[in-house]
Amino acid sequence: MPIETPLKKFFGTGNYLARLTFAPNRKNYTSAMKVRIEIFEGRNEDVELDCESISEVASKIHDFYLEKTGMELEVRRLARWFIEYLEDVGITPPEMNALIRDMESTPQELEAREGSE
């Protein structure tokens, strides 16, 4: 995996920080981007998740958030956080509605869309 990216507060939780690392030298968003998610509770790493697509990123973050807080994570909130993260690391983000569509898609739907573009 490439250069270490910054830690970012995880959805208003006081205890959790997250770091996303994007597959080699990524400059633009794609729904098939590979992402490593590291979530820290304080100074200790709580979980590390490897994802093959943006729909997998959304699913794994949603599941983690639900497990730790007992609350559902709204997809629009996740998308806004993800866009901010992309901007922070210099990756051109997608339009909000396109990102939400990708996050709510299955990996098979993403693959079919990527192949048709």
Side-chain angles (χ1 to χ4, degrees), residues 4 7 15-21 36-50 64 68:
E4 195 169 278
L7 286 169
N15 299 353
Y16 291 98
L17 297 168
R19 173 182 293 134
L20 305 180
T21 306
R36 172 170 287 154
I37 305 164
E38 298 169 273
I39 301 174
F40 298 83
E41 184 173 12
R43 294 178 176 250
N44 302 316
E45 185 173 15
D46 192 4
V47 66
E48 187 174 296
L49 308 165
D50 287 315
F64 177 85
K68 295 297 181 178

Side-chain angles (χ1 to χ4, degrees), residues 31 101-102 104-116:
S31 62
R101 185 183 73 187
D102 288 348
E104 293 177 330
S105 297
T106 65
Q108 295 79 15
E109 291 169 334
L110 289 178
E111 190 175 313
R113 274 202 304 273
E114 286 285 318
S116 66

